[in-house]
Amino acid sequence: MASIIIPGRRAFLGSIGAAAAFFHTKGLYAQALTETAATTEGPFYPDKMPLDTHNDLIIVNDSVTPAVGEVTWLSGKVLSSAGEPMRNAFVEIWQCDTQQSFRHTNGANKTVDSSFQGYGRYLTDSTGRYQFRTIKPVAYTLMNQFRAPHIHVAISRNGRRLFTTQFGIRGNRDNAIDQVFKGLAPAQLQTVMADFKPMPGSKAGELVADFNLVLNKTASEGDDGVLRGGIGKKEGMRMPRRPQRQ
């Protein structure tokens, strides 16, 4: 797959407001929301953080060479089941590159796309919204384990990990044989699937994906009325091995 030339970090940050118009979700507060299913963290949370951890995973530092892949604007909100926005929550994402390599000592194949950051974080705003620019996830085989395309997500606040999950591509044929997704009931599975659609007006073939995270948590505040962010300790959970896809 050829690289897609995209604007640098300044252009990305300057375009967040315009792109947010594509992620407006109607009717969120009409009724109690269905909670997002939690899953294992998986074994490839970065064991050494990249020097760059911003929310644009396509450009590392001030490089002019973008990552290889289908550029995707990932956005959504972190909400309680009552629809309350969870502001000042750290949202972390991590995923493999198109060479099927994570930013992890044991999660890299022979080749690595050094232009892909592989990990990013974002502090939610007053509406609970987060946003990343990344690539559409790809399937991989690591440690003799096949996985359908997915992106890992963790949410922390006040230095405590609140929630961890993995979400995939709705309708992807490999979802049916993925060991994590197979372990979820049909209703749960629907809460960890996102549509990756063409971005209206994009001349570079960019995609958009809207993924809301609904937690069984309340947006409680401290005595001073402040919600403080903080990245919690990773869970360190590993996936059991299963036969790889034939």
Side-chain angles (χ1 to χ4, degrees):
M1 183 182 298
S3 297
I4 298 175
I5 304 302
I6 58 176
R9 189 193 309 180
R10 287 186 179 180
F12 165 69
L13 295 175
S15 58
I16 285 179
F22 296 118
F23 301 106
H24 178 65
T25 304
K26 299 180 179 179
L28 278 179
Y29 310 109
Q31 57 186 356
L33 303 180
T34 301
E35 295 170 14
T36 304
T39 72
T40 176
E41 179 182 281
F44 302 129
Y45 182 92
D47 53 355
K48 183 178 180 181
M49 283 293 169
L51 295 177
D52 210 350
T53 59
H54 58 72
N55 65 328
D56 185 0
L57 281 66
I58 303 301
I59 298 292
V60 177
N61 292 317
D62 293 321
S63 173
V64 295
T65 303
V68 175
E70 294 182 82
V71 177
T72 299
W73 292 73
L74 169 64
S75 183
K77 289 185 176 183
V78 182
L79 304 163
S80 73
S81 57
E84 299 170 307
M86 299 187 72
R87 57 189 175 93
N88 288 352
F90 268 111
V91 180
E92 300 174 87
I93 67 169
W94 64 100
Q95 65 185 106
C96 72
D97 59 30
T98 55
Q99 302 300 316
Q100 304 183 39
S101 291
F102 282 87
R103 298 304 173 260
H104 188 282
T105 303
N106 298 319
N109 282 306
K110 293 182 179 179
T111 55
V112 174
D113 181 0
S114 59
S115 295
F116 184 57
Q117 191 169 294
Y119 168 93
R121 59 180 64 157
Y122 192 85
L123 189 65
T124 59
D125 64 16
S126 61
T127 67
R129 181 165 294 281
Y130 70 88
Q131 183 161 338
F132 293 92
R133 184 168 66 170
T134 185
I135 61 173
K136 185 179 181 181
V138 300
Y140 67 81
T141 299
L142 287 167
M143 298 172 60
N144 296 317
Q145 180 65 60
F146 172 81
R147 291 297 314 279
H150 63 278
I151 296 176
H152 296 258
V153 184
I155 301 173
S156 300
R157 196 169 59 196
N158 298 326
R160 183 167 65 93
R161 176 71 67 83
L162 298 179
F163 184 76
T164 307
T165 196
Q166 306 171 32
F167 73 92
I169 302 171
R170 195 183 311 278
N172 187 278
R173 67 182 183 88
D174 291 327
N175 291 341
I177 58 174
D178 182 89
Q179 61 167 324
V180 172
F181 296 150
K182 284 198 305 182
L184 298 175
Q188 291 179 311
L189 182 63
Q190 292 307 307
T191 69
V192 292
M193 290 291 138
D195 295 308
F196 287 71
K197 300 178 179 180
M199 184 175 186
S202 173
K203 297 181 180 180
E206 295 167 293
L207 305 174
V208 293
D210 190 10
F211 184 65
N212 290 317
L213 293 128
V214 180
L215 281 57
N216 183 21
K217 307 286 182 181
T218 59
S220 59
E221 301 181 354
D223 293 337
D224 57 2
V226 176
L227 288 171
R228 295 182 175 84
I231 296 177
K233 182 179 179 181
K234 74 186 189 73
E235 297 175 1
M237 298 173 66
R238 302 181 68 86
M239 299 180 298
R241 289 193 176 190
R242 298 279 183 87
Q244 74 181 78
R245 174 176 174 268
Q246 301 296 320

